[in-house]
Amino acid sequence: EITSLLSLYDGQFSGEQEIRVNSPFWILNIPSEEMARGLMKRTVCAKSIFELWGHGRSAGELYASLKNYPMDKMLPYLQSDSTYKVHIHTFNKTLTQAQKIKKIDALEFLPFKGKVSLKNPEHIFWILEDYGMDPNNVPEEPFHLYFGRWIADGQRELIESYSVKKRHFIGNTSMDACLSFIMANHGRVKPNDVVYDPFVGTGGLLISSAHFGAYVCGTDIDYNTIHGLGKASRKNQKWRGPDENIRANLRQYGLEKYYLDALVSDSSRPIWRKGMLFDAIITDPPYGIREATRRTGSQKETVKSAERSTENHIFVSSSYHLSDIFFDLLKFAAEYLVMGGRLVYWLPIYRPEYTEEIIPRHPCLKLISNCEQMLSSHTSRRLITMEKVKEFKDQDQNSYLLDGQYMPYRGHNSFREKYFSGVTKRIAKEEKDNQK
């Protein structure tokens, strides 16, 4: 998430910093404080951002680093007519109040001229200490120490204010608010973008994009879900109410003006005119037993079910293999995304058999990130982010990557079909076991 937002705001990770996966602190290079604030107005993963004045692997190194920080950058925040306070945050260790005061007093060499104000200071400074990630093996001294001026906090409160528990219209698999915002940030969604979800369901992924000022739309094969009809997913409620729909959700958060529409449509048969239409495609394709994978078919195909709506709309649905879902999704993104637009989606994984080559590829799309969310000891899903880097041509219509080369897609004979068939069965089994 941070990497995607940095690319949106022309920032980058510090060249000095080795990105330590097992550390909660990262050093970034951002051109201005304004951009730093812009980043923090988006992120739900980062807690706070600071202007770094000094850092080191010991207290001595930290103090030496602070003494080398340019005085002209410090002075505007140390004036006699200003107020300030100093916080101490220790990761993986608790300090006594006496220990904290001792560490603050050790900074007396800094030319603070203002008055201390604990309740409403103009400037807040932080000492940050990293004691590692192992709670059973906490070192006496921190691995890293940092000192800086607080600039802004992240958007962690969005997780609570957009909680699915408080949402007007939900389904069996409505996306968690935190993950929804992370996906929008991976997609680098910005004001006036057009964002599309081909498996829109109850529209949870549209809400986060609309919050960031994008116009949103979606399609789904399920007529009842699109129109807010049928059985409710909420506990102690049998049927959906008259105003339970995607539009009502966006209205709930004051985002209705960003709602374009949601249509009943089969993602395997695109309904859109040719051309680059969308700035981002953000979606959670169906898998498992709570959300069946299906597409429109014909009477000649194997009929699984005939769905009827309250208005007697009838269509025949046939099975939609999981590998075909991802192949169709990548092909659609390659054709309908603008150049530089992003596709963000979840890929189900059976961990003991997972390899990188399982991830679907397309010659027009570059893999940007691949992040794992554990579901159980054997299953997980990976948040895949891809960016359009090449114009879509006719020869790209049916291409997929195999052994380092793009080959014509031959449907169910591919190695991915066998893999994803197994994934679907294992996820379905675990879901049934959990329900029991």
Side-chain angles (χ1 to χ4, degrees), residues 67-134:
K67 290 174 182 176
N68 288 329
Y69 191 72
M71 186 58 65
D72 60 318
K73 291 185 178 181
M74 286 188 183
L75 287 179
Y77 309 102
L78 307 177
Q79 298 299 314
S80 58
D81 59 349
S82 66
T83 57
Y84 74 96
K85 72 174 178 179
V86 180
H87 268 301
I88 294 185
H89 174 75
T90 53
F91 188 84
N92 197 31
K93 188 169 184 175
T94 302
L95 300 181
T96 65
Q97 191 63 26
Q99 289 174 315
K100 290 181 180 180
I101 292 173
K102 184 178 180 182
K103 289 177 180 289
I104 293 173
D105 289 343
L107 296 173
E108 61 183 3
F109 62 87
L110 292 176
F112 287 110
K113 297 178 182 178
K115 295 180 180 179
V116 174
S117 173
L118 299 181
K119 290 187 177 180
N120 190 29
E122 290 179 61
H123 310 299
I124 305 173
F125 300 93
W126 287 67
I127 301 171
L128 307 167
E129 297 187 348
D130 181 5
Y131 287 87
M133 302 287 283
D134 186 357

Side-chain angles (χ1 to χ4, degrees), residues 252-268:
Q252 176 183 351
Y253 300 111
L255 302 171
E256 187 177 2
K257 65 180 180 180
Y258 297 112
Y259 181 54
L260 299 177
D261 210 344
L263 311 173
V264 179
S265 172
D266 176 3
S267 65
S268 71

Side-chain angles (χ1 to χ4, degrees), residues 76-301:
Y77 309 102
L78 307 177
Q79 298 299 314
S80 58
D81 59 349
S82 66
T83 57
Y84 74 96
K85 72 174 178 179
V86 180
H87 268 301
I88 294 185
H89 174 75
T90 53
F91 188 84
N92 197 31
K93 188 169 184 175
T94 302
L95 300 181
T96 65
Q97 191 63 26
Q99 289 174 315
K100 290 181 180 180
I101 292 173
K102 184 178 180 182
K103 289 177 180 289
I104 293 173
D105 289 343
L107 296 173
E108 61 183 3
F109 62 87
L110 292 176
F112 287 110
K113 297 178 182 178
K115 295 180 180 179
V116 174
S117 173
L118 299 181
K119 290 187 177 180
N120 190 29
E122 290 179 61
H123 310 299
I124 305 173
F125 300 93
W126 287 67
I127 301 171
L128 307 167
E129 297 187 348
D130 181 5
Y131 287 87
M133 302 287 283
D134 186 357
N136 298 316
N137 187 24
V138 181
E140 281 296 317
E141 298 297 327
F143 295 124
H144 289 270
L145 301 93
Y146 307 88
F147 180 87
R149 179 178 64 88
W150 174 84
I151 294 175
D153 289 333
Q155 301 298 308
R156 299 290 294 175
E157 74 277 0
L158 292 179
I159 299 170
E160 179 61 26
S161 57
Y162 281 86
S163 171
V164 174
K165 295 177 183 178
K166 303 175 183 177
R167 194 165 298 167
H168 191 63
F169 178 47
I170 62 169
N172 291 336
T173 56
S174 292
M175 183 63 65
D176 170 79
C178 179
L179 295 176
S180 180
F181 279 104
I182 288 173
M183 292 177 75
N185 284 331
H186 274 242
R188 298 196 301 188
V189 173
K190 57 189 182 298
N192 299 319
D193 278 357
V194 178
V195 177
Y196 172 64
D197 183 352
F199 303 97
V200 72
T202 55
L205 295 180
L206 301 187
I207 292 171
S208 54
S209 294
H211 174 84
F212 293 133
Y215 293 93
V216 294
C217 58
T219 57
D220 202 284
I221 198 171
D222 192 320
Y223 180 96
N224 286 345
T225 301
I226 289 292
H227 289 277
L229 304 172
K231 291 184 178 181
S233 298
R234 204 179 300 277
K235 190 178 180 181
N236 300 325
Q237 181 183 339
K238 190 171 183 181
W239 302 100
R240 288 174 176 144
D243 195 34
E244 285 191 60
N245 51 56
I246 296 172
R247 183 184 292 276
N249 273 353
L250 287 148
R251 187 186 305 128
Q252 176 183 351
Y253 300 111
L255 302 171
E256 187 177 2
K257 65 180 180 180
Y258 297 112
Y259 181 54
L260 299 177
D261 210 344
L263 311 173
V264 179
S265 172
D266 176 3
S267 65
S268 71
R269 291 174 168 82
I271 59 175
W272 308 97
R273 64 173 172 82
K274 297 294 182 183
M276 296 181 288
L277 303 176
F278 306 115
D279 297 286
I281 297 171
I282 299 175
T283 192
D284 181 26
Y287 47 85
I289 59 174
R290 290 185 295 168
E291 294 292 345
T293 57
R294 54 195 175 94
R295 60 181 169 185
T296 53
S298 68
Q299 295 290 355
K300 294 180 181 179
E301 297 176 0

Side-chain angles (χ1 to χ4, degrees), residues 43-58:
T43 175
V44 293
C45 289
K47 188 174 181 181
S48 303
I49 195 166
F50 310 87
E51 181 183 64
L52 185 64
W53 286 15
H55 65 104
R57 294 178 180 271
S58 66

